[in-house]
Amino acid sequence: ELQVEPLTPADGRRIADLIERYADLGLSGTDASLIAIAERLGATRIATLDRRHFGTVRPRHAAAFELVP
């Protein structure tokens, strides 16, 4: 089951922070928004083929994301 999660103003600030902090990585707004939402929801498992970005970024709520597959 999928759920659409809207962005909050706090997410917007976190997205900007992530894009600035990981500028050398070329983190996109899309990836940064997923990270911000995952942090807010306390999610640690992310389904992605983009291991470069999600494997590098350190979320606030966990040591690292668990990437699947």
Side-chain angles (χ1 to χ4, degrees):
E1 183 176 316
L2 297 176
Q3 177 179 331
V4 175
E5 187 66 34
L7 292 172
T8 66
D11 293 335
R13 290 186 294 276
R14 179 62 174 150
I15 290 164
D17 175 58
L18 286 164
I19 290 172
E20 183 178 330
R21 180 171 295 166
Y22 293 96
D24 59 325
L25 186 62
L27 188 66
S28 70
T30 302
D31 289 349
S33 68
L34 292 173
I35 293 164
I37 291 171
E39 289 176 339
R40 178 167 46 86
L41 297 178
T44 57
R45 181 181 245 189
I46 294 184
T48 183
L49 298 175
D50 185 356
R51 292 186 169 270
R52 179 173 171 251
H53 288 155
F54 291 99
T56 302
V57 173
R58 296 295 167 234
R60 288 180 171 169
H61 67 300
F65 288 114
E66 177 187 352
L67 305 179
V68 293

